[in-house]
Structures are given as structure tokens and as C-alpha cells.
Amino acid sequence: MADATTASPSMMTGASETERLQPKRVVAFIIMVFGMFMSILDIQIVSASLTEIQAGLSASSTEVSWVQTAYLIAEVIAIPLSGFLSRALGTRLLFAISAFGFTVSSLLCGFASSIEQMILWRALQGFLGAGMIPTVFASAYTIFPRSKFYIVAPIIGLVATLAPTVGPTVGGYITDLMSWHWLFFINIVPGVIITTGVLILVDFDQPNFALLERFDWWGLIFMGGFLGSLEYVLEEGPQYEWLQDTSVAICAAVCFVSAIAFFWRVLTAEEPIVDLYAFNNRNFAVGCVLQFCIGIGLYGLTYVYPRYLAEVRGYSALMIGETMFVSGVTMFFMAPVVGRLMQKVDLRYIIAFGLVTFALGSWQMTWITRDYDFYELLLPQILRGIGMMCAMVPTNNIALATLPQDRVKNASGLFNLMRNLGGAVGLAVINEVLNDRTDLHISRLQDRVTWGNATAVETLNTFTQRMQGMGDAALMAMKQLSQIVHRQAAVMGYGDAFFMLSLFYVALSLLVLFVNKPPSMTAAGGGDAH
């Protein structure tokens, strides 16, 4: 790459001297990775326990959904902001503030006595904890020699994919064994250890406090309006018929106006709050598109599987967690395999293989029936785990490893933002598909289930006979038949959603053709390929 080919001999010497991993930096990095794991885990950890939180805080179903939404909106605003703050405050101070703030707000969430308090502390938790995620990515690609990226990349890739995948599992276990309060209290001790460890061990860079004097407050306001309202529209739109709802329509208008103001500001400000010029690097730009699309599958399937298991199979939070654990285990064992492959195989081929494998796992679910259980979901979830790791880890490398080091901090925030935005868009699209296709299948099935259909009449008569003496047998039988029709329509809707994801990821695999060939890991170790 251009930045490496023009490197001076002294820089090359410095690189060779740092080929050996320094134990202090490795320990510091591992501590930071645990912080990132906590922050990403908390996106999904409450998803399986919202019913318990709703009961505990006497909230409505609409109000309790904001426990999730508030965290996501705050996090999506804070992630791109981390690039500027990391340069101004330094990695050590920014990460320590993020970890400490995340810990304190977790404590406040656990002690919340009303839904309003919970939403406030949850938003604070998302905003403060978000700084840990891109900071880890940036540190991985600046403090370690490029010859060691095959070790570092699978670690952060594993955490970024594993944390949201096992979130419902962990949340289900904690709520079942203790109470929903411990979803937040569980962060306290690790948070204190991480904060202390970072303050003692991290010495990767120096702060530049002078940057704070040029902090672009207008840029922050426009970015908050743009990303916050966009997240709200994507979260609430599917259930409220999009622009037909007043609040969604207002937020859409705010998003549009703020987006124009934001892009004008960052392209004209002397010290922009987000540096968009990283997109001049083609690999980074294509890597961000891939990351956005990977986010759709990562968060989309973490939502679809539990919803199917709860809605159709009637599983508890704990049973859903145990079923979903398969993907997490697969990702864990695939991480070192992907690391090894990155040394020997073109990264573009690994990404394409991962996307096609992910598509294959989704394709197998297009034949879903209401009887699909743990064993029917086993192979699709294994393929999902393999595909996600093979797609995610090399994408991280292609996007961030080829950038000049002074661009990595800002670029890391943008890169991680793409994954979260992809997840938000994916959930909105999947919800819309499920709603529309389920309604379509209900209409079609009701056209078939008529008095002229012998099977339908026979089934209705059977139900009526079974319910004799229990009240209005004919009405109860009709209700049961209607429930079966609705359940079958919902299952067919899930099949359609999986079919859509299959086609999408097969098409996405062709995007790797636009990626410049990255330097091989082994060549990078010799210092002649980067």
C-alpha cells in the first residue's frame, strides 16, 4: 500500500523491533477486549428478559421496548464520536472513562425503580460504553505489528460476533437463576477491574487536549439528530406503519434535515467531529459496505431465531438461550481456524466463502415448519457461525489494516457504526417482511380454509367434538382452527425472510470482486508486502 511502500528505513527497523508481542500490551489489550465484550453483550442481554423487566417496573409493552431502543440510539451516536475523543483524550483516558461510566450506569440500571429511570440510565449506559468498541478495533490495528494481525483479528472478530449472539443466552440464564436486576449488576466487578487495569497498563498513545478547544458542537448536534432519529425510525417504523405514525414521520424529517447539515458540517469544518475522508480508501469503503451487510445477518438472525422459538414453539428465555448457543460455540472454535486461513489464503476468498456459507444456512431454513426444533436448527446455526466468522474477521483486516495509522482511530468509529446501522436496517426490513408476508399467507390460507375444503371441515368437526361440554364448542373450534391458520402463516413468513437473506448474501459475495488484493499475512511479517 502507498503508506507502506514509502516507509523510511528507520520505520522498517522500528517495525522489525516490535515484531515480538510485548506482554504488557497483550495483557492491556485483553482487558480492553473484555470491556468491548461487555458493551456489545449489553445490546442483546436484555432482549430475552424484557417481559420480566416490564413486570418488575410495571411498564407497558411500548414503554419496555425503549429499554432496548434507548441503548441503541445512544450507542449509535457515541460510536463515531469516539474517533475524535480518542485522539483528544488518548486511548487510556477515553477507555477508562467509558468503562467507569458504563459500570456506574449499569449499577443505576439495576437499582431503577421506574421505567423512566431505566430508560435514562440505559441510554447513559449505551452512550458511555460505546467508546470501548471502536477503541479496541483501533488499538488492535495500531499497537500490534501487521505480521500478528492473524492472531489479533480473530479475537476482536470473535467478540464482535459472539457477544450479540450469546446475549439472549446469557440474559436468559441470569434472569432464570437470579433476577433481571443481575443483568446489570453482573457488570460491576468486571467493570471496576477493567477500569483499573486500563489506567495502569495502557500506554499506547498520548492525548492531545488542544483538540478539545476545537470541538465541533454543531457537528455533534447534527450527528445526534441524524443518527438518533434514524435509529428511532428504523426501530419503531415497522410496528407503526412507518410515516403514517406522527412520531415516526417527525423523526424521519429530523433525520433528513440533520443528515444534510451533518454532511455539510463535516466536509467544511476545520476540525470535523468525524473524518469521512477515510472512504477515499477503496478497501475501507468496500469493507464498510460489507460490515453494514454483515450486521444485517448478525443482528437479524439473533432476532429471528428467538422470535420463532418464542412465538411458534413457545420456548422460555432459558430454552431459547440453550438452542441459540450452538452458533456461539461454532464461532468460538472457528476463530483460530480463520486466523490460520488468513496466513495462507487470499482474504477475499475467505470472505466470499463465509457469505456463501451464511447464505446456505439461511437457505436451509426456507423449508421451516412449526416442528423445527433443536436438531432441525442445528446445521443451519453451525453454518451461520462458520459463515459469520469467515466473513467478519477478514473484513476487519481488509478495511482497517491497510489504512495509515493516523487514520485508524477515526475510521474505526465509522467501521463499527456500519455494523450497528446494518443491524438496525436489517431488523426493520426483516420485521416488515415478516409482517407483510404473514398477512399475505393468512389471506391465502383463509381462502383455502373454507366450507368447500373437506380437510378443513373435517378438522373443524374434530375440534368441535373434542370441545363438547366445555362451552360454545363450535366457536371454540373455530378459534382453534383460526390459531392454526395464523401460526402456519407466521411460519411461512419466517421461511420467506430466510429466503430473502439467502439471496442477499449470495449476491453480496460478489462484492469482494471490488476489493483490492490485500497483502498476505505471511508477507506482512517479512516487511516487504505492506
Side-chain angles (χ1 to χ4, degrees), residues 32-111:
M32 291 172 66
V33 166
F34 273 108
M36 180 176 107
F37 182 82
M38 280 201 315
S39 182
I40 299 179
L41 183 74
D42 265 60
I43 298 172
Q44 295 288 346
I45 197 170
V46 302
S47 61
S49 308
L50 286 175
T51 306
E52 288 80 0
I53 295 173
Q54 179 183 347
L57 297 176
S58 302
S60 68
S61 57
T62 305
E63 289 174 329
V64 80
S65 68
W66 272 92
V67 174
Q68 194 83 316
T69 304
Y71 188 97
L72 292 170
I73 289 176
E75 185 183 57
V76 88
I77 295 170
I79 283 178
L81 180 63
S82 65
F84 179 90
L85 293 179
S86 183
R87 288 185 295 130
L89 302 176
T91 300
R92 175 174 171 268
L93 193 55
L94 173 62
F95 204 94
I97 291 171
S98 290
F100 179 74
F102 180 84
T103 305
V104 171
S105 50
S106 294
L107 184 67
L108 293 171
C109 284
F111 282 122

Side-chain angles (χ1 to χ4, degrees), residues 100-369:
F100 179 74
F102 180 84
T103 305
V104 171
S105 50
S106 294
L107 184 67
L108 293 171
C109 284
F111 282 122
S113 58
S114 69
I115 189 63
E116 292 80 13
Q117 289 180 15
M118 172 62 82
I119 291 169
L120 175 62
W121 303 136
R122 187 79 170 134
L124 191 65
Q125 186 189 34
F127 188 82
L128 292 171
M132 292 189 279
I133 302 169
T135 307
V136 170
F137 275 79
S139 298
Y141 290 101
T142 53
I143 66 173
F144 293 112
R146 299 198 173 197
S147 61
K148 305 299 181 185
F149 284 174
Y150 76 94
I151 299 173
V152 178
I155 294 173
I156 58 174
L158 176 64
V159 170
T161 51
L162 187 63
T165 303
V166 302
T169 306
V170 175
Y173 271 112
I174 292 172
T175 305
D176 192 67
L177 293 174
M178 292 177 279
S179 72
W180 65 263
H181 302 275
W182 284 93
L183 297 173
F184 307 104
F185 292 150
I186 202 80
N187 294 327
I188 307 303
V189 174
V192 171
I193 293 171
I194 289 164
T195 305
T196 308
V198 166
L199 287 172
I200 293 171
L201 295 172
V202 171
D203 59 353
F204 307 152
D205 52 19
Q206 295 299 318
N208 181 8
F209 294 119
L211 283 175
L212 294 175
E213 297 172 8
R214 304 199 299 273
F215 186 81
D216 185 10
W217 291 101
W218 283 111
L220 176 61
I221 292 168
F222 294 145
M223 184 174 73
F226 167 39
L227 295 176
S229 55
L230 175 62
E231 185 74 34
Y232 178 84
V233 169
L234 292 172
E235 279 282 311
E236 304 296 320
Q239 59 181 320
Y240 293 121
E241 298 295 321
W242 296 99
L243 299 182
Q244 294 181 34
D245 179 77
T246 305
S247 63
V248 174
I250 291 171
C251 282
V254 170
C255 176
F256 179 74
V257 174
S258 299
I260 295 172
F262 168 71
F263 286 112
W264 167 79
R265 187 70 185 177
V266 296
L267 294 174
T268 58
E270 180 186 347
E271 188 65 54
I273 197 165
V274 175
D275 179 16
L276 297 181
Y277 289 102
F279 286 107
N280 287 337
N281 182 302
R282 191 165 96 178
N283 275 13
F284 178 73
V286 177
C288 280
V289 174
L290 285 168
Q291 184 79 337
F292 179 90
C293 298
I294 289 168
I296 293 174
L298 176 63
Y299 290 107
L301 291 193
T302 305
Y303 167 78
V304 169
Y305 276 110
R307 180 171 163 177
Y308 161 78
L309 291 170
E311 209 174 83
V312 179
R313 299 292 300 168
Y315 277 21
S316 67
L318 187 61
M319 293 167 70
I320 291 170
E322 289 170 345
T323 306
M324 294 283 290
F325 200 62
V326 173
S327 287
V329 172
T330 306
M331 290 175 186
F332 184 81
F333 285 110
M334 273 302 296
V337 175
V338 174
R340 287 293 178 191
L341 285 174
M342 285 168 61
Q343 292 179 280
K344 301 175 180 179
V345 181
D346 190 323
L347 300 187
R348 296 172 299 178
Y349 298 152
I350 301 175
I351 294 172
F353 170 77
L355 294 171
V356 171
T357 304
F358 189 90
L360 185 60
S362 298
W363 173 257
Q364 291 202 317
M365 291 296 291
T366 57
W367 319 111
I368 189 170
T369 69

Side-chain angles (χ1 to χ4, degrees), residues 19 146-147 342-344 518-530:
E19 284 298 297
R146 299 198 173 197
S147 61
M342 285 168 61
Q343 292 179 280
K344 301 175 180 179
S520 67
M521 293 290 119
T522 50
D528 59 344
H530 40 279

Side-chain angles (χ1 to χ4, degrees), residues 462-477 480:
T462 303
F463 288 158
T464 305
Q465 291 173 6
R466 193 180 298 165
M467 293 173 180
Q468 290 294 339
M470 297 169 63
D472 189 338
L475 180 61
M476 293 170 69
Q480 187 165 353

